């Protein structure tokens, strides 16, 4: 039995939102949208999110809330045979992702400190690039900052499901939204030529939409919604019994997309206003943006808000990754949550530290020319997540007894409504086919 429960609907929503809103929303979605048809991409993104991602999320919710235990045991309870391996894969994926996610969390914390000391004042982009590269090349410093984020996440876990996770997200998520809105208002209304950025983000270009774009949108939606690795499953084990699952899933999709769009509005008007090339990933967050803050009025203050935002986004996601592993270790080894959390802290300090060190530019923890950080990133997003997601929907649609899905999706209603039939159809047919195509595309076979 899960060792904890979220108190209410708002807390549950905040916790799930905390998991899904992460770096994917800030450093990937806006660029992907701008680069792939703007408003046209957004429409495609929403369609695949509703038809493919939401059903996968509902599958995870149903498995998790019906069993109220960690990912591996949930599969084992429902069905004998090798299906428990899906849960095991999920736990392993969470571990792998967290090992490199904590490193990026560390970067954001370091950049928050640099913002507070106004270190970007009047620096050129090249100078900021130099600051960033010398920081990640300094092993002891990156390890230290990464470990700090792990300590924070572990403390939240130690405080418990409701007293820690729920409370942390209930404070951080509204703050995150507020920070983002302030930054977006500043970019849109107070920077010269901000309309160019808005145009980049939204100008519809339907000619850019191909099957490739659809699969890209799906990959992004999948990652952004934290699917395929038991994170949603683990949190749903703590959900109130009365929570309406379809409503929750669709509002999470909406919220996650809105955050991604507002991130775009905070970032791209600034980027275009300064005539810099738009980009994605670490370059955008840790080079382009600080350089812009170094030039604009109020940049000192705005950069603090910005890196606070990035840190909150990363930290709330990190907590959910850690919880997947904590629930598993504590229930399977039959030890207290606290003990499990400390055990994980000890091992994750090592693997995360190795990921941080693999980025320093020396040969430490570099295998076949790829850093451990990149290997973990690549393996999780290209293999572990899509395979996990595919197996989860197949399990929920074809292996798990229909009555469990029905009871979870309708909260125990008598009849099979048309909504239930529709959702079950998506879970059984549409989602598996599209997730399989996405996987084949990711590994270059389609
Ligand atoms: N959704 C997160 C983001 O947008 C990343 C992520 C993927 C994640 N899978 C996860 C976070 C599992 C927490 C748990 O950045």
């Amino acid at each position: 039995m899960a060792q904890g429960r979220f108190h209410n609907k708002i807390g549950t929503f905040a916790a799930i939102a905390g998991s899904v809103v992460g770096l994917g929303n800030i450093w990937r979605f806006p660029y992907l949208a701008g680069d792939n048809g703007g408003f046209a991409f957004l429409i495609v993104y929403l369609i695949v999110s509703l038809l493919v991602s939401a059903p996968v999320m509902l599958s995870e919710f149903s498995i998790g809330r019906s069993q109220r235990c960690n990912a591996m045991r949930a599969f084992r309870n429902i069905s004998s045979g090798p299906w428990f391996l899906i849960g095991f894969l999920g736990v392993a994926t969470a571990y792998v992702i967290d090992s490199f996610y904590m490193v990026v969390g560390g970067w954001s914390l370091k950049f928050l400190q640099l913002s507070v000391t106004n270190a970007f004042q009047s620096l050129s982009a090249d100078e900021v690039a130099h600051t960033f590269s010398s920081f990640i090349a300094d092993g002891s410093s990156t390890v230290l900052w990464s470990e700090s984020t792990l300590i924070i996440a572990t403390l939240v876990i130690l405080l418990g499901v409701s007293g820690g996770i729920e409370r942390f997200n209930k404070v951080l998520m509204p703050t995150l939204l507020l920070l983002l809105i302030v930054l977006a208002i500043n970019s849109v209304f107070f920077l010269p030529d901000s309309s160019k950025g808005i145009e980049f983000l939204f100008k519809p270009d339907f000619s850019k939409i191909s099957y490739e774009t659809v699969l890209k949108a799906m990959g992004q939606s999948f990652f952004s919604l934290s699917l395929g690795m038991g994170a949603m499953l683990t949190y749903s084990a703590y959900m109130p019994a009365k929570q309406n699952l379809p409503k929750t899933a669709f509002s999470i999709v909406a919220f996650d997309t809105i955050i991604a769009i507002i991130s775009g509005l905070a970032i791209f008007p600034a980027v275009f206003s300064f005539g810099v090339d738009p980009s994605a990933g670490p370059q955008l967050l840790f080079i382009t943006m600080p350089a812009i803050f170094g030039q604009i009025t109020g940049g000192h203050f705005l950069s603090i808000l910005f890196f606070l935002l990035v840190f909150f986004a990363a930290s709330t996601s990190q907590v959910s990754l850690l919880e997947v592993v904590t629930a598993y270790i504590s229930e399977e080894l039959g030890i207290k949550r606290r003990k499990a959390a400390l055990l994980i802290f000890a091992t994750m300090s090592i693997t995360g530290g190795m990921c941080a060190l693999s980025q320093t530019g020396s040969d430490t923890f570099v295998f076949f020319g790829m850093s451990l950080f990149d290997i973990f990133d690549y393996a999780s997003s290209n293999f572990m997540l899509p395979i996990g997601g595919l197996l989860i929907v197949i399990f929920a649609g074809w292996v798990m007894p229909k009555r469990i899905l029905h009871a979870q999706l309708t909260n125990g209603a008598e009849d099979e409504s048309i909504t239930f039939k529709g959702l079950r159809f998506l879970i059984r047919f549409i989602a598996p086919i599209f997730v399989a195509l996405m996987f084949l595309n990711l590994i270059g076979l389609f």
Side-chain angles (χ1 to χ4, degrees), residues 18-25 97 101 220 222-227 229 231-232 256 316-318 320-321 324 385:
S19 173
V20 302
V21 171
L23 296 164
N25 302 63
I97 295 187
Y101 216 81
Q220 169 64 15
F222 220 72
F223 182 79
S224 191
L225 291 166
S226 305
L227 297 173
M229 42 149 292
M232 292 299 104
D256 188 61
T316 49
S317 295
Q318 199 189 350
S320 81
L321 290 161
V324 175
L385 286 179

Side-chain angles (χ1 to χ4, degrees), residues 52-61 222 227-228 389 392-393 427 431 435:
V52 183
S53 303
V56 179
M57 186 177 280
L58 285 169
S59 304
E60 292 204 26
F61 282 173
F222 220 72
L227 297 173
I392 288 171
V393 263
I427 291 174
V435 178

Side-chain angles (χ1 to χ4, degrees), residues 45-282:
Y45 182 85
L46 280 173
I47 295 174
V48 295
S49 295
L50 297 178
L51 297 184
V52 183
S53 303
V56 179
M57 186 177 280
L58 285 169
S59 304
E60 292 204 26
F61 282 173
S62 304
I63 299 168
R65 193 175 64 172
S66 65
Q67 306 308 314
R68 298 216 180 267
C69 57
N70 74 78
M72 193 196 79
R73 188 171 293 198
F75 286 96
R76 208 178 50 202
N77 281 350
I78 297 175
S79 173
S80 52
W83 293 103
F84 72 91
L85 289 172
I86 307 176
F88 189 75
L89 174 68
V91 176
T93 312
Y95 190 92
V96 165
I97 295 187
D98 202 16
S99 296
F100 71 86
Y101 216 81
M102 67 181 255
V103 177
V104 185
W107 298 347
S108 65
L109 211 51
K110 169 70 183 175
F111 271 58
L112 178 59
Q113 183 233 354
L114 290 174
S115 303
V116 171
T117 57
N118 205 7
F120 306 121
Q121 177 70 41
S122 317
L123 292 192
S124 68
D126 285 343
E127 287 165 324
V128 181
H130 178 75
T131 308
F132 181 60
S133 55
S134 45
F135 164 59
I136 60 170
D138 177 359
S140 53
S141 177
T142 44
V143 169
L144 207 73
W145 286 100
S146 317
E147 304 293 345
S148 316
T149 69
L150 182 62
I151 292 175
I152 295 170
T154 304
L155 286 175
V156 175
I157 299 281
L158 286 176
L159 287 170
V161 170
S162 180
I165 302 175
E166 185 174 10
R167 203 177 331 150
F168 186 65
N169 283 294
K170 251 164 111 172
V171 175
L172 258 56
M173 291 315 287
T175 317
L176 178 146
L177 185 62
L178 189 72
L179 291 172
L180 195 57
I181 291 176
V182 172
L183 286 160
I185 289 180
N186 179 68
S187 293
V188 172
F189 296 109
F190 297 105
L191 293 179
D193 281 336
S194 62
S195 57
K196 282 197 216 135
I198 300 174
E199 201 179 306
F200 171 74
L201 195 59
F202 288 123
K203 190 162 184 248
D205 181 355
F206 285 91
S207 70
K208 286 244 174 98
I209 304 298
S210 61
Y211 82 89
E212 191 97 26
T213 332
V214 175
L215 294 176
K216 257 192 217 168
M218 204 147 62
Q220 169 64 15
S221 165
F222 220 72
F223 182 79
S224 191
L225 291 166
S226 305
L227 297 173
M229 42 149 292
M232 292 299 104
L233 192 159
T234 303
Y235 270 6
S236 61
Y238 311 138
M239 265 189 201
K242 288 195 302 273
Q243 188 112 6
N244 178 321
L245 298 186
K247 228 189 204 165
T248 308
F250 290 114
S251 28
I252 287 290
V253 169
F255 184 75
D256 188 61
T257 311
I258 290 170
I259 294 287
I261 293 172
I262 311 180
S263 299
L265 288 176
I267 292 172
F268 283 116
V271 168
F272 280 85
S273 175
F274 278 79
V276 221
D277 278 337
S279 64

Side-chain angles (χ1 to χ4, degrees), residues 405-420:
L405 193 67
H406 182 254
Q408 291 302 320
L409 296 188
T410 63
N411 276 353
E414 293 277 312
D415 314 322
E416 286 190 11
S417 62
I418 177 95
T419 325
F420 172 71

